Amino acid sequence: MSRMSAFRFSALALLLLSAYCWADSEVESSAENDSQDLSVSELLERANRHRIGSDDEPILTEGDIALGSEAERNADPCTSQGCKWGKASDGKVYVPYYITNHFSSREKAIIVRGLESFSSFSCIRFRPTQSSDRDWLSIESQNGCYSFVGRRGGKQVVSLARSGCLYHGTVQHELLHALGFNHEQTRSDRDNHIQVLLQNVQSGMEHNFRKIATLNQGSPYDYNSVMQYHKYAFSKNNQPTMLPIPNPNVSFGNAKEMSRNDIARLNTLYKC
């Protein structure tokens, strides 16, 4: 092959590679733009809709809450055994974390932004884990988005799958679970604010709407909470599975980040 032919071949290969990378970037950008209009609840349901967990992963309830056993399904660890992370002498609550190498630098930046957002409105401080830490969050890209509720002890997985879970609001949502919070629609006072329409719920998904004895921090029910699922969550027929009471036209489940009430109850729980 002549030098000129080799040059042309190299130029063509480079052009094709650039076109491929551009197209791949365009697809990713398009997917991100489509997701910008979705609430945290919708993003989570979409990410976990066809989830098939591996044998070493926990079972899930309510879409994204990890359980150690079936016996935990109707319990709230924050009221049954305590779930808070400890407060240091300086009044801050330091929560150690480790981000596995599953993620690109750009993806890590999204996670870190979510972690650091808590320091702007609470005494929670997520910090990289140290060798002396006994309990820590291991942030991994497993099958779907999920977290245990509250401090469990030892290594505690928070899954943020690279496909579907890396958004600011979803990171906040899963971290709130890890800090001890359940979904809004399972609050003990839920029936005063939300009517659940089980006739529209997918078969086998009814358990996602069970009330549990939650610790509500004396806070009002919050339709705008990042922990409130959307109107059609787990619907089998495109009909609502939840309606607000007494006004069914009230908008809810549209949060894209933590609400004022989310922040207030976090500060109340941890006495910030």
Side-chain angles (χ1 to χ4, degrees), residues 151-163:
R151 183 180 186 174
R152 304 277 296 189
K155 174 185 174 181
Q156 179 174 328
V157 173
V158 173
S159 176
L160 295 170
R162 297 181 67 196
S163 175

Side-chain angles (χ1 to χ4, degrees), residues 72-90:
E72 296 180 9
R73 194 180 289 277
N74 296 318
D76 177 9
C78 280
T79 54
S80 61
Q81 70 212 35
C83 70
K84 293 195 297 183
W85 296 78
K87 183 175 285 190
S89 57
D90 64 359

